[in-house]
DNA sequence: CGATACGTTGACGGAAATCAACCCCGGTGG
DNA sequence: CCACCGGGGTTGATTTCCGTCAACGTATCG
């Protein structure tokens, strides 16, 4: 299997063999992390970024009320804190959801990569802008869609992204995310998430057991969600 | 007065005299637009980006239900569709709120600028990532804060951003945004926006008449909002 | 085998949406 | 000059969706 970052970048940009080579030559430090571990915290000034080799992560903010808002889920191949490359101080926290294998790359190497390989610079720009787009889709849901549609949309999105990097097939994917976490991502209570998942199940649109999601009726589910994958800017959908 | 883009970028990054010069030498086409006009629409593939010289803009998405979610407000100095430089297809719409004077710059010139002036490349990266950060702050509010706090937060944010580029002083700024638009940005109905503005007024925290916002008690207002300006990554706050 | 985390279900209450008037003000045209 | 109009703002009444509280079920693990 090729490097997860290569696989991921190929879903959003074309890479030359030299580009792939440059990525493979990046000095990386592998690291295994337990679940629910904060990797970079609000206020930190990281000097390196990480690539998810395996596992799920999320970025989030905590409020004084104790409530949490998850701003993104990250899957293998993602580089979740590319942001620190240009912003310096983290304004939110990045943590693991499941046990994760992470590859850390020092910022200096990334800067050099971007300088020497315009094509990869472009790809990383795209990746960052797509994260931004995804956030826009989330905000649209949280601000203006009813609970059922939000939950449906999240399932469509995660499933599509997993499929793009080869981690889902035939609408079946592993989804190691608790209902509490789904709630923190959709702006709902976990009770409400549970009820809406029940509804989707009873409509025969999905099954979700033991962290395995199967979408039985993609057509209907994506209609409810108003899911239009264009915002993911995948080459396969272009 | 210096160029609005220079003034803006100086709030988030250091520019050398040569950087400023390069910006001033950019070929730009000035254009006046009426209010409520879409400049770039979902699905478009723009070949140029715009800089706001004067006026307010917003980016938004419409849902089938007819509801609208505003994802960002943009003020003079902002380059709202820098995103199209790397993504190609727009996945949302960018439009004016007020009459606007816009300066259009062809993508080719921007690409050259980024290539020739690493410092400006960095500044534009920062600007983009900050937009992303702002979206994260919004999502946190919409997902997890009660109405009053959301409205208060939006006022704090816009006021801070306007002040950074010299368009607000002593907590007084022009705010040419209707309550309906504030609702579309905060995920509230305009009725609810109205009631919460009333509440902020009756608490003696703000006045808002004829599109002029005065924040009378910044301390209290920002507490209610849980507003921590770090996410705007302004040099002045570093 | 108890402990713990996650999922499920019912009852209740509340924050905000919706519906429906009405007001105020600036612009326009007869 | 004033009547009319339309957009924005304000306010009250009613409804509804979803949050909260609380209890119970179920699976995994030391």
């Amino acid at each position: 299997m090729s490097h997860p970052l290569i696989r991921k970048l190929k879903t959003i940009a074309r890479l030359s063999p030299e580009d792939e080579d440059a990525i493979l030559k990046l000095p990386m430090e592998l690291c295994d992390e337990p679940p629910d571990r904060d990797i970079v915290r609000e206020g930190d000034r990281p000097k390196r970024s990480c690539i998810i080799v395996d596992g799920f992560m999320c970025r989030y903010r905590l409020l004084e009320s104790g409530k949490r808002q998850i701003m993104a889920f990250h899957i293998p191949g993602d580089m979740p804190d590319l942001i620190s490359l240009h912003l310096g101080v983290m304004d939110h926290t990045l943590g693991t959801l499941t046990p994760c294998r992470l590859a850390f790359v020092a910022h200096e190497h990334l800067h050099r990569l971007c300088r020497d390989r315009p094509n990869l610079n472009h790809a990383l720009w795209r990746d960052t802008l797509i994260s931004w787009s995804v956030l826009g889709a989330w905000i649209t849901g949280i601000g203006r869609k009813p609970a059922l549609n939000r939950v449906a949309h999240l399932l469509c999105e995660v499933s599509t992204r997993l499929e793009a990097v080869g981690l889902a097939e035939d609408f079946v994917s592993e989804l190691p995310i608790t209902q509490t976490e789904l709630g923190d991502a959709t702006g709902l209570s976990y009770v409400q998430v549970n009820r809406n998942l029940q509804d989707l199940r009873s409509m025969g649109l999905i099954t979700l057991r033991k962290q395995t999601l199967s979408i039985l009726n993609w057509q209907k589910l994506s209609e409810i969600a108003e899911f239009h994958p264009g915002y993911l800017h995948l080459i396969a959908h272009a």
Side-chain angles (χ1 to χ4, degrees), chain A:
Chain A
M1 189 183 73
S2 73
H3 192 287
L5 179 60
I6 295 177
R7 196 179 41 183
K8 155 68 185 277
L9 290 181
K10 281 173 116 167
T11 68
I12 57 166
R14 298 186 194 291
L15 300 191
S16 69
E18 295 79 40
D19 292 331
E20 298 194 25
D21 212 47
I23 289 176
L24 289 172
K25 288 209 178 99
L26 272 181
M28 296 186 194
E29 186 186 339
L30 273 182
C31 200
D32 284 305
E33 299 286 349
D36 296 312
R37 159 80 51 102
D38 290 341
I39 302 302
V40 201
R41 284 213 181 73
E42 192 172 337
D44 284 357
R45 295 177 156 277
K47 291 280 166 286
R48 54 184 198 170
S49 296
C50 71
I51 298 161
I52 306 179
V53 177
D54 199 56
F56 279 55
M57 300 182 79
C58 74
R59 57 177 79 249
Y60 66 90
R61 259 194 261 260
L62 290 174
L63 294 176
E64 286 161 18
S65 59
K67 291 178 196 293
R68 170 165 91 149
Q69 178 66 46
I70 292 180
M71 292 154 48
F73 288 123
H74 287 291
I75 65 175
D78 286 354
M79 268 189 93
D81 60 344
L82 207 50
I83 186 175
S84 64
L85 195 58
H86 287 275
L87 280 188
V89 188
M90 289 289 288
D91 57 29
H92 59 268
T93 301
L94 177 68
T96 61
L97 290 168
T98 66
C100 282
R101 167 158 292 181
L102 304 178
F104 288 93
V105 188
H107 281 175
E108 45 176 328
H109 294 123
L110 290 172
H111 277 126
R112 192 161 34 73
L113 196 72
C114 286
R115 182 162 38 81
D116 296 347
R117 305 215 61 83
N119 202 28
L120 282 176
N121 180 47
H122 173 71
L124 291 177
W125 258 104
R126 268 183 77 87
D127 187 45
T128 302
L129 291 170
I130 290 168
S131 298
W132 191 88
S133 247
V134 169
L135 213 48
W138 283 32
I139 217 174
T140 307
I142 296 178
R144 292 305 193 200
K145 286 182 193 168
L148 185 70
N149 308 34
R150 288 188 228 175
V151 174
H153 194 276
L154 190 55
L155 298 181
C156 287
E157 176 181 310
V158 174
S159 172
T160 302
R161 289 173 54 201
L162 286 172
E163 186 154 350
V165 294
L167 293 174
E169 237 178 307
D170 299 328
F171 304 110
V172 178
S173 51
E174 207 190 337
L175 192 75
I177 301 179
T178 68
Q179 296 184 355
T180 301
E181 288 154 357
L182 290 176
D184 287 342
T186 51
L188 296 167
S189 67
Y190 64 87
V191 176
Q192 210 52 232
V193 170
N194 184 285
R195 294 194 160 124
N196 284 286
L197 285 175
Q198 297 297 345
D199 288 348
L200 292 174
R201 279 193 266 250
S202 69
M203 286 186 269
L205 304 185
I206 65 164
T207 63
L208 177 52
R209 279 192 320 269
K210 307 222 183 207
Q211 316 198 324
T212 299
L213 168 70
S214 306
I215 297 178
L216 307 176
N217 187 337
W218 176 266
Q219 172 71 22
K220 195 79 197 304
L221 187 68
S222 56
E223 267 170 31
I224 288 178
E226 260 182 79
F227 177 74
H228 306 117
Y231 75 97
L232 292 172
H233 297 271
L234 297 170
I235 286 186
H237 290 282

